[in-house]
Amino acid sequence: MSDNPVSPSHEAADAAQVEAIAKYLESSRDMIERLQALREGVHDTLNEQFQIVAMDLEQLRGLLGDAASKLSTTFRVITTGTSEMQTALDEAMTSHETDPLIRIREITSNMTSTTGSTIQSLQFEDMASQLLAHVNRRLSALQQFSKEMSILNAGSNHLPPFLTQEELDAAFASLARHRDLLQNDVRKAVQQQSLDSGDIELF
Amino acid sequence: MSKTALVVDDSATMREMVSYTLKQAGFEPLTGGNGQEALDKLTGQAVDLIITDLNMPVMDGLSFIKAVRARDEYKFVPILMLTTESQADMKAQGKAAGATGWLVKPFNPEMLLQVIGKVVPK
């Protein structure tokens, strides 16, 4: 055993150890940066998707509100018309004047127009169903995404998990795949914000 | 003799609303809940008009139109797409498949009948 604690062999060993530590710190820094980028990607994706879901639900609220308002109006017109028609019929049966009959014709015409408005408003059901299906498809994709990203959950010591390069690569690939799916494959078929009649085009 | 129209939509409410409107114009409506169901009903049946939705389970509206146009007896039957879709690329696909016209939901009964008056021979 040498008396000199800093012999050349010790120096070489120390240098190797320092180099190993430096390499480890470098790779840890790289890992932390990639983890941070992954977390930001997940956060941005979730935030963006939840905003889309919130907009769908707001659109749905608008369509339902519009339908309820229009149907309430047509309901009032129909019930009032029915009552007025009954009165006019009673008058027509007890008199020989034509005024009640003219009035009945006016009411009938008004109710025909109101029926058209009712038909238009009742179509909210079809649009609402499609919007809800769109929300459901998006939520299903998000649920799967959340499951695949659970690898990022902190452990019981609240520290970020240690991931291998392969696990990180797989997580980034999953993020890219889900972003693409949510942006391109989950198509939205309903753009209407109200129950006004849509465009018509003859080819 | 009344004319016959085939109404294809996966929404029962839509089928009912379109059928009611067509009856007002003297049509006898037949209905199908998706493209395949409608094709089955169409076999051997003369129709004067077809109104179809786009997004439907089993067989969508575009596939349905292509299948209809592939049958000689329905080559010239007017086909109107009635859908929530309003994007230009979707309309182009509808036109290429053989649709006669494109109506975006919700439809106004009076306007629908005006369009039908233009595409169905008297």
Side-chain angles (χ1 to χ4, degrees):
Chain A
M1 197 174 163
S2 167
D3 289 331
N4 184 357
V6 281
S7 66
S9 62
H10 274 115
E11 274 181 4
D14 287 349
Q17 204 169 2
V18 166
E19 194 179 338
I21 290 169
K23 271 188 183 167
Y24 176 77
L25 286 174
E26 187 59 37
S27 77
S28 295
R29 190 179 301 125
D30 180 53
M31 168 77 75
I32 288 166
E33 280 172 4
R34 291 194 74 194
L35 265 175
Q36 201 168 358
L38 186 59
R39 283 183 177 221
E40 279 168 10
V42 171
H43 173 266
D44 290 349
T45 302
L46 288 176
N47 199 32
E48 188 182 298
Q49 296 308 317
F50 284 132
Q51 276 179 15
I52 292 173
V53 167
M55 282 186 333
D56 277 359
L57 293 176
E58 181 59 26
Q59 186 184 358
L60 183 60
R61 193 196 61 75
L63 284 174
L64 292 177
D66 196 18
S69 165
K70 286 186 164 98
L71 288 171
S72 297
T73 303
T74 58
F75 176 75
R76 275 197 301 275
V77 171
I78 287 170
T79 50
T80 306
T82 306
S83 169
E84 286 178 2
M85 193 136 63
Q86 187 60 54
T87 306
L89 272 172
D90 290 344
E91 283 175 23
M93 288 177 78
T94 55
S95 74
H96 297 289
E97 293 174 15
T98 55
D99 285 357
L101 294 174
I102 292 168
R103 177 71 188 129
I104 288 172
R105 195 161 59 192
E106 281 171 2
I107 295 168
T108 307
S109 167
N110 191 22
M111 283 170 79
T112 302
S113 157
T114 304
T115 304
S117 180
T118 306
I119 287 173
Q120 195 168 325
S121 302
L122 278 172
Q123 294 169 63
F124 82 89
E125 184 268 347
D126 181 47
M127 284 185 273
S129 299
Q130 290 193 58
L131 268 175
L132 285 174
H134 181 248
V135 169
N136 275 335
R137 281 198 303 275
R138 197 165 288 276
L139 288 177
S140 285
L142 280 172
Q143 191 177 27
Q144 183 60 30
F145 177 59
S146 163
K147 199 172 155 189
E148 288 182 29
M149 286 298 146
S150 62
I151 197 168
L152 289 176
N153 287 348
S156 56
N157 55 6
H158 303 295
L159 291 173
F162 178 81
L163 300 177
T164 64
Q165 288 299 330
E166 287 74 21
E167 285 172 326
L168 259 179
D169 288 345
F172 271 108
S174 172
L175 173 62
R177 195 174 62 250
H178 278 91
R179 271 184 166 165
D180 184 56
L181 170 78
L182 289 160
Q183 277 168 9
N184 301 317
D185 287 2
V186 186
R187 273 190 67 251
K188 184 172 178 176
V190 183
Q191 307 297 334
Q192 293 84 337
Q193 301 294 329
S194 75
L195 288 166
D196 294 337
S197 61
D199 294 338
I200 296 172
E201 192 176 333
L202 288 179
F203 301 135
Chain B
M1 191 178 159
S2 66
K3 291 179 184 292
T4 305
L6 177 62
V7 180
V8 194
D9 202 303
D10 56 333
S11 159
T13 307
M14 284 306 302
R15 291 198 299 274
E16 196 177 332
M17 296 301 110
V18 176
S19 294
Y20 175 85
T21 304
L22 289 170
K23 279 182 191 168
Q24 302 306 303
F27 279 88
E28 181 72 37
L30 300 171
T31 59
N34 61 64
Q36 187 56 58
E37 204 180 299
L39 272 184
D40 294 343
K41 286 205 175 174
L42 206 52
T43 305
Q45 171 73 50
V47 292
D48 301 285
L49 170 71
I50 296 173
I51 298 179
T52 180
D53 187 16
L54 176 63
N55 298 311
M56 292 180 287
V58 187
M59 182 190 279
D60 67 24
L62 291 176
S63 305
F64 169 66
I65 293 177
K66 285 174 193 167
V68 170
R69 290 298 187 219
R71 297 183 182 185
D72 285 342
E73 64 268 43
Y74 303 115
K75 266 196 164 33
F76 302 108
V77 173
I79 304 179
L80 297 174
M81 298 264 350
L82 178 59
T83 170
T84 54
E85 302 269 6
S86 54
Q87 294 94 325
D89 62 321
M90 296 307 297
K91 287 183 185 176
Q93 286 185 51
K95 187 179 177 181
T100 311
W102 192 282
L103 289 87
V104 178
K105 292 175 182 174
F107 76 90
N108 171 286
E110 205 175 314
M111 288 163 87
L112 176 63
L113 293 180
Q114 280 176 19
V115 171
I116 291 172
K118 285 181 185 168
V119 299
V120 177
K122 293 264 188 287

